[in-house]
Amino acid sequence: RSIDGEGHVHFSSSTDDDDQNDGRHVVDDVDVIIFCSGYDYGFPFIDASSNLDLGCVPGERRVRPLYEQVWHASVPSLAFIGLPHSVVPFPLFELQSAAVVSQLSSHESEDDDCVRLPGLSERIEAAARDADSGGPNPKGRVQDTHFLGSHQWDYCRRMARIGGAYDNSTENFIATNKALYDRSGKERKGMVPGGEDLYRETRFRRMDEEQSYEIVHSELEPSESIVLK
C-alpha cells in the first residue's frame, strides 16, 4: 500500500495516506514489486490463415464478435468457454458448456427444450452491441466487456435456458452459488491487503433446496465473521 523512507512496504486498511504507522503488516528486504494488473485473451492457433474474423487486441481484454460471450457471431459452431470474469467460474462454465452442446447435438423438434440461437443478422447485431457496451455496468470500459459480477446470475439463467436445462433444480443451484458468492465476497472485503486470505479456508455444505448453505469449517474469528441479512 505504501513504502516508507527506509524501503519498508506497509499494508494497511487505513485510508489516510499519511498514516504509515498503523500498518498491521510490514515487509522489508523487498527486491522486486510486480503489479498483477490483469491479463489479455489470446488464441495463437487462430491466425490469418484461419480466414476467421476474430478480434483480440492487446490491452482491450475483449474477444469479438461473440454472441452471448460464447458463440462466434458468424460461425456459431465455434464457441469459447470461460471468457467472463469476476464470476463463480466452474458452475458458470458448466452451464456454458451445456448450452454449447445443446446447439451442436440437438435438432429442432417438439421435444427439444433448448432455445435455438437466433439468425445470423441478429447474432451479429447483438455481438456488436455487446463488444461496444463496456460490460453490463453504465459507463463501462472496453476492458470490462467480459465482466459480469452481480450480473452473472441472470447470465447463468440464460445459459441454462439456451441449453434446455432451466428448472427449479437449476434455479436452486444458481441461487445457492449466489449465496456462497455473496458470503465470500463480504468476508474478503474484511481482509487486510497483504494479509492471510482466511476466508478462502471456509468450507461450506450446500443446501440447494433451501438456496442456502451451512458452514462446516472456518478459520475466521467470530468477530471477523460476516452475518448476511
Side-chain angles (χ1 to χ4, degrees):
R1 181 182 180 278
S2 62
I3 303 176
D4 63 23
E6 298 180 356
H8 297 161
V9 180
H10 294 249
F11 294 96
S12 170
S13 59
S14 172
T15 57
D16 185 354
D17 290 336
D18 295 327
D19 187 358
Q20 297 184 347
N21 296 319
D22 71 330
R24 292 171 57 183
H25 299 274
V26 180
V27 182
D28 56 14
D29 297 328
V30 176
D31 296 319
V32 177
I33 297 177
I34 299 175
F35 291 93
C36 300
S37 55
Y39 56 89
D40 280 322
Y41 299 97
F43 304 96
F45 49 88
I46 299 177
D47 55 25
S49 64
S50 303
N51 193 28
L52 180 71
D53 175 24
L54 184 70
C56 298
V57 178
E60 287 189 352
R61 296 182 66 191
R62 172 180 62 174
V63 183
R64 60 185 305 178
L66 298 183
Y67 179 74
E68 285 286 6
Q69 302 197 29
V70 175
W71 292 274
H72 191 283
S74 300
V75 189
S77 58
L78 176 62
F80 299 81
I81 304 299
L83 296 184
H85 64 86
S86 301
V87 299
V88 181
F90 294 110
L92 185 145
F93 301 162
E94 181 180 355
L95 291 170
Q96 284 183 321
S97 300
V100 170
V101 170
S102 75
Q103 303 302 306
L104 295 175
S105 61
S106 297
H107 299 283
E108 203 166 354
S109 68
E110 294 182 358
D111 298 328
D112 189 358
D113 293 329
C114 72
V115 176
R116 310 306 300 177
L117 299 184
L120 175 61
S121 61
E122 186 174 342
R123 293 197 307 268
I124 291 177
E125 290 175 4
R129 287 195 305 270
D130 191 35
D132 295 332
S133 66
N137 293 324
K139 298 181 180 180
R141 309 171 303 159
V142 167
Q143 293 86 347
D144 295 327
T145 298
H146 299 303
F147 168 86
L148 286 182
S150 62
H151 300 271
Q152 64 184 290
W153 317 117
D154 285 339
Y155 179 86
C156 285
R157 294 181 179 99
R158 293 202 303 275
M159 289 295 105
R161 290 189 177 99
I162 290 174
Y166 185 75
D167 55 17
N168 289 337
S169 176
T170 304
E171 176 58 35
N172 290 340
F173 175 72
I174 294 171
T176 302
N177 291 338
K178 180 181 184 301
L180 293 167
Y181 179 88
D182 290 345
R183 168 80 189 206
S184 296
K186 290 197 173 186
E187 288 187 346
R188 178 175 178 240
K189 289 179 180 178
M191 299 291 99
V192 176
E196 294 183 276
D197 289 339
L198 295 179
Y199 77 96
R200 295 181 183 274
E201 303 303 322
T202 304
R203 299 291 180 266
F204 303 92
R205 178 177 292 112
R206 298 179 62 103
M207 301 164 61
D208 283 23
E209 291 186 0
E210 289 78 30
Q211 299 185 358
S212 186
Y213 58 86
E214 63 178 359
I215 296 175
V216 297
H217 172 79
S218 176
E219 295 191 11
L220 293 171
E221 298 293 332
S223 61
E224 296 176 299
S225 182
I226 304 296
V227 177
L228 297 183
K229 298 181 179 179

